[in-house]
C-alpha cells in the first residue's frame, strides 16, 4: 500500500471507531427486580424483626402495668418462750397466717395502664416506620448499584474506544499524519479510564455488600445487573404529599402516642401524694386456747414528698413537654423533607429528560460534525477524543440522574406511605 494512502485508511478506521462507540451504549440486562429485593428485605432483615419483637414486648407490658401488686402471705410462730420454744401453754403463744393486699389510690393503676398502652402503640408504629425506612434504604442502595452497572458499561465502552484511539494515533504518528502529543494524550486517557473503572468496581462491591446486608444475605453474595427504569408519569404536588404524610406517617403516630403516654404518666404521678391503702387479715391458732382473728388497715405516709413524689411529678411534666417538642420537630422535619425530596425528584426527572432528548443527541451530533471537520483538517485528533468523552460523560450522568430520581421517589413513598407517580 502506498504511504500517502495510509493516513486515509487510518482516518477511515477512526471514523468507524467513533461511529461504533457512539452506538455501543446498550444497557445491561436486568436480573434482580426491585420488588423482589423489597420483599426479601421485609421478610428477612434482622433489624426489622427486632423492631417487631420490641412491639410485641411492649404490648406484653400493658397488663402488668395495670395489675394490682401481688398480695403477701406470711406464716409466723408467735410469742414463743425462749427457754421453752416448743411450749404452747402461754396464752400469747400462737401460730399465725396473715394475708396482706395493697390497693393503690384510684387512678394510679389506670394511668400506668394507659401509659403502657400508648407506649405499646408507639412501638408498633415504630416497627411500621422502620419497615418503610428499610424499603427506602433498599431503594437507595439498589439504585446506586443499578447506576454503577450502567456507568461501568459506559466506562468499558469508553475504555475500548480509547484503546482503539491509542492504536489509531500510534498508526497515524508512524506515517507522519499525527503528532506525538496525540499518542501520549491517548495513552494517558487509557490509563485514567482504567483507574476510574477500578474505583467504580470497588464502589460497586461495597454497595452490593450493603444491599445484601439489607436483604439479610451474606455480604459476598453475587448481585448481577439491576433494573433502572426511565422516570414515568408525574408527581403529586407538595401540599398533597405533606397532608398525606402528616396523616399517615407511622413516626408521627408514634410521636403522638408517646405524648399521650407522657400525659397519662403525668396524671398518675399527680396521684402519688395520695396514700395507698393496705388491708390484711390474720388467723391466729392458739393450741391451748381459743383461736383468734385480726383485720388490719393501713396507709402509707408521703412524708418525703418534696424529694420523691413531687420530683416524680416534675420529671413526668418534663417528659411530657419533651415528647410534645419532639413531635413538633418531627412534623416540621417531615414537611421540610417532603419539599426537599419532591424538588429533587422533579429536578432529576426534568434533567434526565433534557439529557435524553436534547443534550446527549446534540453531543452526538457534535461528534459527527467534528468527524466531518477532521476529514478536512479543521479539527485535531484529540478534539475528536474530547467530544466523544463528553458524550460518554453525559450518558453516565443521565443514568445518575435517573438513579437519583428513583431514590428520591423511594424516600417520598416511605414518608407518605403509598406510590407517588400518577400516570399521564
Amino acid at each position: 500500500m502506498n504511504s500517502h494512502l495510509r493516513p486515509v485508511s487510518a482516518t477511515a478506521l477512526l471514523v468507524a471507531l467513533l461511529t461504533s462507540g457512539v452506538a455501543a451504549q446498550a444497557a445491561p440486562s436486568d436480573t434482580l427486580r426491585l420488588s423482589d429485593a423489597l420483599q426479601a428485605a421485609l421478610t428477612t432483615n434482622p433489624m426489622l424483626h427486632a423492631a417487631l419483637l420490641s412491639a410485641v414486648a411492649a404490648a406484653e407490658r400493658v397488663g402488668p402495668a395495670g395489675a394490682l401488686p401481688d398480695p403477701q402471705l406470711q406464716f409466723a410462730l408467735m410469742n414463743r418462750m425462749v427457754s421453752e420454744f416448743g411450749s404452747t401453754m402461754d396464752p400469747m403463744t400462737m401460730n399465725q397466717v396473715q394475708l396482706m393486699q395493697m390497693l393503690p389510690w384510684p387512678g394510679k393503676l389506670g394511668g400506668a395502664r394507659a401509659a403502657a398502652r400508648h407506649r405499646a402503640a408507639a412501638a408498633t408504629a415504630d416497627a411500621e416506620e422502620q419497615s418503610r425506612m428499610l424499603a427506602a434504604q433498599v431503594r437507595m442502595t439498589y439504585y446506586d448499584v443499578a447506576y454503577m452497572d450502567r456507568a461501568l458499561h459506559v466506562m468499558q465502552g469508553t475504555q475500548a474506544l480509547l484503546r482503539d484511539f491509542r492504536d489509531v494515533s500510534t498508526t497515524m504518528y508512524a506515517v507522519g499524519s499525527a503528532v506525538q502529543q496525540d499518542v501520549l494524550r491517548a495513552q494517558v486517557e487509557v490509563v485514567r479510564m482504567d483507574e476510574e473503572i477500578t474505583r467504580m468496581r470497588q464502589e460497586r462491591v461495597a454497595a452490593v455488600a450493603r444491599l445484601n446486608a439489607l436483604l439479610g444475605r451474606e455480604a459476598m453474595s453475587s448481585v448481577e445487573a439491576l433494573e433502572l427504569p426511565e422516570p414515568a408519569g408525574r408527581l403529586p404536588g407538595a401540599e398533597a404529599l405533606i397532608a398525606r404524610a402528616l396523616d399517615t406517617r407511622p413516626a408521627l403516630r408514634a410521636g403522638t402516642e408517646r405524648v399521650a403516654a407522657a400525659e397519662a404518666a403525668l396524671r398518675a404521678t399527680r396521684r402519688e401524694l395520695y396514700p395507698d391503702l393496705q388491708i390484711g387479715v390474720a388467723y391466729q391458732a392458739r393450741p391451748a386456747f381459743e383461736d383468734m382473728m385480726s383485720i388490719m388497715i393501713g396507709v402509707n405516709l408521703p412524708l418525703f414528698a418534696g424529694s420523691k413524689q413531687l420530683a416524680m411529678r416534675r420529671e413526668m411534666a418534663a417528659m411530657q413537654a419533651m415528647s410534645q417538642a419532639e413531635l413538633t420537630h418531627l412534623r416540621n422535619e417531615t414537611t421540610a423533607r417532603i419539599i426537599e425530596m419532591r424538588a429533587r425528584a422533579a429536578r432529576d426527572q426534568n434533567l434526565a429528560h433534557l439529557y435524553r432528548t436534547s443534550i446527549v443527541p446534540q453531543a452526538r451530533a457534535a461528534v459527527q460534525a467534528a468527524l466531518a471537520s477532521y476529514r478536512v483538517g479543521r479539527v485535531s485528533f484529540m478534539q475528536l477524543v474530547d467530544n466523544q468523552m463528553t458524550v460518554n460523560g453525559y450518558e453516565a450522568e443521565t443514568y445518575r440522574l435517573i438513579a437519583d430520581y428513583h431514590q428520591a421517589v423511594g424516600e417520598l413513598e416511605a414518608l407518605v406511605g403509598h406510590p407517588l407517580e400518577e400516570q399521564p
Side-chain angles (χ1 to χ4, degrees):
M1 182 179 294
N2 294 332
S3 61
H4 71 279
L5 294 178
R6 289 176 183 172
V8 178
S9 300
T11 302
L13 177 58
L14 178 61
V15 171
L17 291 174
L18 285 170
T19 304
S20 62
V22 170
Q25 303 299 340
S29 59
D30 301 327
T31 57
L32 176 63
R33 295 187 304 170
L34 177 63
S35 58
D36 295 334
L38 291 174
Q39 182 62 35
L42 296 176
T43 302
T44 63
N45 185 267
M47 290 308 297
L48 179 57
H49 186 58
L52 294 173
L53 291 176
S54 177
V56 172
E60 294 298 330
R61 298 189 192 106
V62 177
L68 288 171
D70 292 333
Q72 294 183 357
L73 180 63
Q74 298 178 355
F75 298 93
L77 301 178
M78 302 183 65
N79 303 320
R80 299 296 179 109
M81 292 182 291
V82 176
S83 59
E84 298 183 26
F85 188 80
S87 174
T88 59
M89 297 306 297
D90 191 285
M92 298 296 295
T93 298
M94 63 188 72
N95 300 324
Q96 178 173 283
V97 178
Q98 179 175 290
L99 181 65
M100 298 291 295
Q101 175 66 59
M102 192 267 284
L103 300 176
W105 188 270
K108 289 184 178 181
L109 291 182
R113 183 187 298 110
R117 185 171 60 249
H118 288 299
R119 293 190 189 101
T124 301
D126 283 338
E128 184 180 347
E129 175 75 8
Q130 183 152 339
S131 70
R132 291 190 182 188
M133 292 301 106
L134 174 61
Q137 291 175 16
V138 170
R139 288 175 181 269
M140 183 75 66
T141 310
Y142 183 97
Y143 286 119
D144 275 339
V145 177
Y147 156 71
M148 292 174 189
D149 289 336
R150 284 147 181 85
L152 278 170
H153 184 74
V154 172
M155 288 179 181
Q156 288 164 352
T158 303
Q159 182 187 50
L161 191 60
L162 287 173
R163 287 173 176 168
D164 291 335
F165 284 167
R166 179 190 59 192
D167 296 340
V168 170
S169 63
T170 302
T171 301
M172 295 175 69
Y173 175 70
V175 300
S177 61
V179 296
Q180 187 179 21
Q181 181 181 358
D182 291 345
V183 178
L184 297 177
R185 172 70 184 278
Q187 292 174 345
V188 170
E189 292 296 333
V190 169
V191 174
R192 188 175 66 85
M193 186 54 60
D194 288 341
E195 177 187 1
E196 291 187 5
I197 289 175
T198 300
R199 176 180 54 81
M200 183 64 72
R201 283 174 175 166
Q202 293 306 312
E203 290 181 359
R204 189 186 190 279
V205 170
V208 166
R210 291 195 301 271
L211 180 60
N212 283 328
L214 293 172
L215 302 185
R217 306 193 306 186
E218 293 293 332
M220 299 305 295
S221 298
S222 175
V223 174
E224 301 300 329
L226 306 178
E227 61 185 359
L228 186 63
E230 293 287 331
R234 54 191 175 87
L235 297 173
E239 295 80 4
L241 294 175
I242 291 170
R244 174 91 180 190
L246 294 180
D247 184 57
T248 64
R249 187 182 179 188
L252 293 173
R253 191 166 67 250
T256 303
E257 293 291 348
R258 289 192 176 92
V259 171
E263 291 174 347
L266 179 59
R267 289 194 300 269
T269 55
R270 285 174 178 158
R271 292 176 169 82
E272 288 295 325
L273 285 175
Y274 303 135
D276 298 327
L277 179 66
Q278 293 184 350
I279 60 175
V281 58
Y283 178 79
Q284 296 100 10
R286 299 193 298 171
F289 302 92
E290 292 290 331
D291 294 345
M292 301 179 68
M293 185 174 180
S294 300
I295 296 177
M296 294 154 286
I297 298 178
V299 295
N300 61 310
L301 301 177
L303 299 179
F304 308 102
S307 58
K308 186 177 179 182
Q309 285 86 354
L310 294 180
M312 293 171 58
R313 182 184 298 181
R314 292 192 296 270
E315 176 192 2
M316 288 300 103
M319 293 294 292
Q320 191 272 339
M322 181 192 72
S323 300
Q324 185 61 59
E326 289 178 343
L327 178 59
T328 301
H329 170 74
L330 185 58
R331 284 174 176 161
N332 295 339
E333 181 66 21
T334 298
T335 299
R337 193 64 178 168
I338 287 176
I339 294 174
E340 178 185 356
M341 286 298 101
R342 192 197 178 282
R344 173 183 163 186
R347 178 203 65 191
D348 293 335
Q349 185 179 28
N350 292 335
L351 286 178
H353 178 73
L354 180 64
Y355 271 65
R356 282 279 192 241
T357 60
S358 180
I359 295 179
V360 173
Q362 290 178 15
R364 288 175 177 168
V367 171
Q368 297 301 319
L371 278 172
S373 298
Y374 179 77
R375 293 189 184 102
V376 296
R378 295 179 181 174
V379 173
S380 69
F381 171 76
M382 291 316 300
Q383 284 180 298
L384 284 175
V385 176
D386 289 339
N387 286 344
Q388 182 59 41
M389 293 291 290
T390 299
V391 171
N392 294 345
Y394 284 148
E395 289 183 339
E397 180 62 18
T398 302
Y399 290 130
R400 179 71 268 176
L401 289 169
I402 295 173
D404 287 347
Y405 166 80
H406 288 295
Q407 289 173 340
V409 168
E411 184 164 349
L412 283 173
E413 290 183 354
L415 294 171
V416 176
H418 69 92
L420 302 185
E421 292 180 320
E422 299 177 355
Q423 296 301 324

